């Protein structure tokens, strides 16, 4: 893969052995993706005596899929709401902080042939997974107020009477609307 909108910085530390420290923000990926970092070094001489060295450094970016567990119980967010924190991919999610999409691993891997990622969405009192669309505000995931989890601006709340989650309920206590990454 190639990315051209990467950002980075360089720090020269000649006091500690002529070290050049650099950092690059890698792109968000859904599967292991190989890249080549092409580093071009030039000297500070005049153009008549300049020298250029280019080094290609291959590296792989791996996605981070984790479980999102409710603070008040041992249940995790699943494709259809709330469920046991199992080791299978149905309870594994990744979050793209650039476009706020909250993507399920199992659905992406099972349907990867069609090139789509599937995001958690809330529409009224129901939740579902739909093809991610950054223009769809119903799928935007945020973590506010000490890890309070929201989808489309709606607070996701553990609900004790059913094996599901409820949204924007007035009786949702703080622990019921706080989630942690596992």
């Amino acid at each position: 893969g190639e990315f051209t909108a990467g950002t980075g910085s360089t720090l020269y530390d000649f006091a500690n052995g002529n070290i050049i420290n650099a950092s690059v923000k890698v792109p968000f990926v859904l599967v292991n993706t190989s890249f080549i970092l092409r580093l071009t070094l030039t000297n500070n001489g005049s153009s008549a005596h300049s020298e250029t060295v280019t080094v290609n450094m291959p590296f792989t970016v791996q996605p981070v899929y984790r479980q999102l567990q409710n603070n008040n119980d041992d249940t995790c967010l699943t494709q259809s709401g709330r469920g046991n924190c199992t080791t299978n991919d149905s309870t594994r999610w990744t979050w793209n902080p650039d476009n706020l999409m909250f993507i399920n691993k199992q659905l992406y891997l099972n349907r990867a042939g069609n090139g789509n990622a599937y995001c958690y969405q809330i529409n009224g009192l129901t939740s579902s997974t739909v093809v991610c669309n950054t223009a769809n505000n119903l799928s935007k995931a945020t973590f506010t107020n000490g890890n309070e989890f929201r989808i489309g601006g709606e607070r996701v709340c553990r609900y004790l009477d059913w094996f599901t989650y409820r949204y924007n309920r007035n009786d949702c206590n703080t622990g019921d609307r706080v989630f942690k990454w596992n």
Side-chain angles (χ1 to χ4, degrees):
E2 179 178 331
F3 64 99
T4 56
T7 60
S9 62
T10 304
L11 174 66
Y12 301 98
D13 187 2
F14 296 116
N16 286 323
N18 295 336
I19 296 172
I20 300 173
N21 294 309
S23 64
V24 176
K25 180 181 176 186
V26 297
F28 177 84
V29 297
L30 292 171
V31 294
N32 289 354
T33 305
S34 296
F35 293 94
I36 295 176
L37 175 61
R38 182 169 290 127
L39 178 62
T40 302
L41 305 169
T42 59
N43 69 354
N44 224 359
S46 68
S47 60
H49 300 93
S50 66
E51 188 176 333
T52 301
V53 176
T54 300
V55 178
N56 291 327
M57 295 177 276
F59 66 97
T60 301
V61 177
Q62 297 177 329
V64 178
Y65 287 98
R66 299 178 289 179
Q67 294 174 319
L68 193 63
Q69 184 178 4
N70 185 266
N71 242 26
N72 273 357
D73 63 16
D74 291 327
T75 61
C76 287
L77 187 70
T78 68
Q79 301 162 17
S80 58
R82 180 176 131 185
N84 292 325
C85 297
T86 64
T87 57
N88 71 39
D89 291 339
S90 69
T91 61
R92 305 272 178 209
W93 300 86
T94 191
W95 182 62
N96 185 334
D98 296 326
N99 63 24
L100 306 180
M101 295 289 100
F102 193 68
I103 302 163
N104 182 265
K105 182 177 183 179
Q106 184 176 51
L107 288 175
Y108 179 73
L109 294 178
N110 287 351
R111 299 176 183 170
N114 66 15
N116 293 320
Y118 289 80
C119 289
Y120 194 68
Q121 173 181 288
I122 294 175
N123 192 355
L125 293 177
T126 62
S127 67
S128 60
T129 46
V130 296
V131 172
C132 296
N133 177 353
T134 57
N136 180 359
N137 286 330
L138 295 175
S139 296
K140 302 272 182 174
T142 56
F143 297 87
T144 61
N145 300 330
N147 284 340
E148 184 176 284
F149 179 50
R150 293 176 181 247
I151 294 283
E154 300 281 339
R155 184 172 55 219
V156 179
C157 181
R158 180 182 70 107
Y159 188 63
L160 298 174
D161 294 340
W162 299 97
F163 205 56
T164 187
Y165 285 108
R166 295 288 225 142
Y167 315 102
N168 263 354
R169 292 183 52 89
N170 292 330
D171 60 349
C172 184
N173 72 45
T174 303
D176 285 341
R177 62 181 181 254
V178 174
F179 289 77
K180 61 186 174 189
W181 289 103
N182 285 340

